[in-house]
Amino acid sequence: MPRIRPGRVRTKNTNRREALRLSSMAPEDYNVRPGEVKSIACPDCRTWRRIMGEKVLKIREHRISDKVAEGERHVLCPGTDQVVVVDIDVRRWQVKQDCLLREAMPQDTRRAAQQFYKPLPAPAAPVSQMNAEITLESARQAYLAHRTRIVGRGRSAARPQGCTRCVGGQHCPDGAILARRFVFALQAEPARREAREQQERQEQRAARQQSRPAVRRAQWAKHGGEAVERANNRCTERTSGTVSEFRGADLPMLPQNIEAHDRRQAELGRQYARKTAATSAA
Ligand SMILES: [Zn+2]
Ligand SMILES: [Zn+2]
């Protein structure tokens, strides 16, 4: 008799649930654009998470941390290590999304559409917590959510249905706000990237400068100077007959163990006597 196993995935490093098929999700709840960081709105906690892996795709480990501030412990989200299967036509999905995004833009700025293919480094902000900083990604996803949001449950949920008042380039008040926000983020992106790159260049330059030979010499010179010289000079060998700078009542004048000292002195005396006897005999 065949054993019944929980789900199809049996390896330990998954959450042991059935693989999550993208076709079962709303098209705006994931990002699998080629060249971009793959991300998904975790079905369990509804926050944007990265999809990791090459062949086997899984939702990256993450915690439900909304209530940590309220004293709750860190709890791993059950969506962690959820296997994701890309069972959609990525090209068609992308074309459709791009089409909607183009509609967000006023006619004269539509050339900016080429920006879509640029890789975006940061994972998207949670859709449900959009009050965070507006990034290009979050603005894009928010607009797409408005245009393609799933309405209803069950069978009808499979067919996403966007805002009915947003048609083509015509937007409802909400849609218009989201569209403007998206276009604004899109236009700001090159400047942001430039600023980011410039900062990186500056940091690299600073690091290079720190390791230049002249700078290194200067750093070592800091270990020299008058004070260091004086300290070093104090380490010179003491020539007999000179007055020591170690003086005062605290200075011990007698050996610590007088008996041992005397024994050692007697031993050295005998050694010396043997040596002189040997040389005079030769
Ligand atoms: Zn989650
Ligand atoms: Zn609308």
Side-chain angles (χ1 to χ4, degrees):
M1 233 187 92
R3 272 170 51 219
I4 298 158
R5 293 173 190 273
R8 285 193 325 127
V9 182
R10 289 154 206 162
T11 47
K12 269 186 188 159
N13 50 359
T14 75
N15 66 357
R16 291 172 163 274
R17 283 199 206 145
E18 196 119 15
L20 178 65
R21 288 171 293 111
L22 288 190
S23 63
S24 71
M25 294 196 66
E28 75 280 5
D29 278 354
Y30 51 83
N31 178 18
V32 289
R33 284 166 195 277
E36 288 189 14
V37 171
K38 287 189 181 66
S39 55
I40 192 165
C42 172
D44 288 277
C45 62
R46 296 297 301 169
T47 57
W48 281 92
R49 298 294 165 181
R50 279 184 69 168
I51 301 174
M52 311 301 286
E54 293 287 324
K55 278 181 191 152
V56 180
L57 303 174
K58 285 189 284 185
I59 299 179
R60 189 194 226 168
E61 182 182 309
H62 62 280
R63 277 142 227 281
I64 313 165
S65 50
D66 295 21
K67 294 189 175 113
V68 168
E70 294 153 39
E72 270 185 35
R73 286 198 311 134
H74 277 294
V75 178
L76 215 60
C77 175
T80 289
D81 284 335
Q82 168 69 55
V83 172
V84 177
V85 175
V86 182
D87 65 335
I88 54 150
D89 186 333
V90 174
R91 251 198 83 74
R92 270 179 60 185
W93 166 83
Q94 194 178 353
V95 165
K96 207 167 163 191
Q97 298 247 308
D98 286 350
C99 189
L100 286 171
L101 291 170
R102 257 194 302 282
E103 286 172 3
M105 282 179 279
Q107 291 286 350
D108 50 325
T109 55
R110 286 195 185 177
R111 271 187 311 130
Q114 65 207 25
Q115 287 286 339
F116 301 151
Y117 304 98
K118 291 280 188 184
L120 295 166
V127 155
S128 53
Q129 297 160 24
M130 280 294 295
N131 52 355
E133 189 203 2
I134 297 163
T135 63
L136 175 55
E137 180 77 354
S138 67
R140 178 171 69 183
Q141 295 307 118
Y143 177 72
L144 288 171
H146 179 79
R147 293 297 301 265
T148 60
R149 180 179 41 205
I150 287 178
V151 180
R153 291 187 150 270
R155 199 192 281 181
S156 64
R159 267 172 285 122
Q161 220 184 311
C163 170
T164 48
R165 289 184 296 152
C166 284
V167 181
Q170 299 295 311
H171 293 105
C172 74
D174 283 348
I177 290 167
L178 292 169
R180 265 201 304 279
R181 212 180 269 177
F182 165 65
V183 172
F184 183 79
L186 198 62
Q187 286 162 347
E189 184 59 16
R192 279 169 57 141
R193 191 181 308 122
E194 176 58 36
R196 209 159 47 225
E197 283 169 1
Q198 197 175 337
Q199 196 189 339
E200 269 166 33
R201 276 199 298 274
Q202 212 148 38
E203 277 164 15
Q204 278 171 0
R205 206 176 306 137
R208 264 202 309 279
Q209 217 138 52
Q210 280 299 299
S211 58
R212 259 171 45 210
V215 175
R216 277 272 180 261
R217 264 198 297 283
Q219 284 169 348
W220 280 111
K222 267 191 214 155
H223 295 279
E226 210 178 304
V228 178
E229 231 166 84
R230 217 179 305 128
N232 280 341
N233 290 346
R234 216 179 279 163
C235 292
T236 51
E237 223 173 299
R238 190 138 285 291
T239 38
S240 57
T242 58
V243 182
S244 168
E245 69 269 46
F246 300 111
R247 273 174 293 188
D250 295 343
L251 191 71
M253 301 304 285
L254 290 168
Q256 277 184 311
N257 186 339
I258 293 167
E259 219 177 291
H261 176 261
D262 286 349
R263 242 192 340 266
R264 179 73 184 142
Q265 288 299 314
E267 167 69 19
L268 287 170
R270 275 195 299 280
Q271 258 179 32
Y272 179 74
R274 271 202 300 278
K275 220 184 248 170
T276 44
T279 41
S280 58

